[in-house]
Amino acid sequence: GIDNILYAAKFCKDINFKLIGDGQLYEDMVSFSKKLKLENVEFLGFMEKEQIAIELSKAHIGLGIFGTTDKAKRVIPNKAYEVMAVGLPLITGNSPAAREILVNKKHCILCKMGSGKAIANAILLLKNNEKLRKYISVEGHKLFSNLFSTEAIGKLVEKIILELL
């Protein structure tokens, strides 16, 4: 779905995009970015978790998954949890997996998968609505802390073990 993010960048020329990672499509996406003549996209390549945390601390919004493959519809990627963990507002694809735990305009903005225009519209919505941006940041972080943090998962595992004993 990186191609969709690049299309979104084309619609959001006054917003800087930083893409982290160097997966199998890295070179193709760098070439595609050049083809689209994007001057607001920076490819940062592979980073260790500590470096990712530093980059996230500088961001205003975090992006999740937007592809249209069966896998993209079945998963919530780690990066989505990382975005919520640091209290950034998350924009991610409106997939069956996302709808299982995320509420649109509460924990994140869910947008049409496979659509750069939908991603751009979601970005502009958050850019122009500080109240919604802050609300999603707080609620997304609460959701992460209550259900997906190390502490929350540890308590759940403890409860299961105690029930089995």
Side-chain angles (χ1 to χ4, degrees):
I2 300 297
D3 56 335
N4 299 302
I5 294 171
L6 294 175
Y7 275 121
K10 188 174 174 96
F11 294 111
C12 300
K13 294 182 182 195
D14 63 332
I15 296 172
N16 294 317
F17 290 72
K18 291 186 177 186
L19 302 176
I20 300 171
D22 62 355
Q24 60 190 5
L25 297 176
Y26 178 83
E27 294 299 328
D28 292 341
M29 292 301 105
V30 170
S31 295
F32 187 53
S33 176
K34 289 177 184 173
K35 181 179 175 184
L36 292 176
K37 299 178 180 161
L38 297 175
E39 296 181 12
N40 57 334
V41 175
E42 185 178 356
F43 291 88
L44 302 178
F46 174 80
M47 291 185 161
E48 297 293 339
K49 285 205 177 280
E50 295 79 17
Q51 293 172 297
I52 293 172
I54 291 168
E55 285 302 321
L56 283 175
S57 73
K58 299 176 194 174
H60 297 99
I61 294 171
L63 302 176
I65 191 167
F66 303 100
T68 57
T69 65
D70 286 340
K71 180 182 177 185
K73 295 172 188 173
R74 289 191 314 265
V75 302
I76 298 174
N78 193 55
K79 63 183 169 181
Y81 295 106
E82 291 171 341
V83 167
M84 290 187 295
V86 299
L88 283 176
L90 171 66
I91 299 172
T92 195
N94 188 359
S95 69
R99 288 190 306 271
E100 281 187 32
I101 63 162
L102 301 171
V103 175
N104 188 37
K105 294 187 179 175
K106 180 176 182 183
H107 306 120
C108 65
I109 296 291
L110 295 175
C111 66
K112 181 179 177 184
M113 297 182 77
S115 171
K117 186 66 172 166
I119 299 166
N121 288 338
I123 290 168
L124 294 173
L125 172 67
L126 290 181
K127 177 185 178 201
N128 297 319
N129 190 331
E130 182 179 0
K131 185 177 178 182
L132 179 62
R133 193 172 62 244
K134 286 182 179 181
Y135 176 71
I136 290 172
S137 298
V138 169
E139 292 300 318
H141 183 70
K142 274 193 226 175
L143 177 73
F144 174 83
S145 297
N146 292 335
L147 296 180
F148 306 111
S149 66
T150 304
E151 294 80 14
I153 293 170
K155 287 178 184 177
L156 179 61
V157 170
E158 178 184 41
K159 179 183 176 203
I160 292 169
I161 290 171
L162 290 174
E163 287 175 1
L164 291 172
L165 295 176

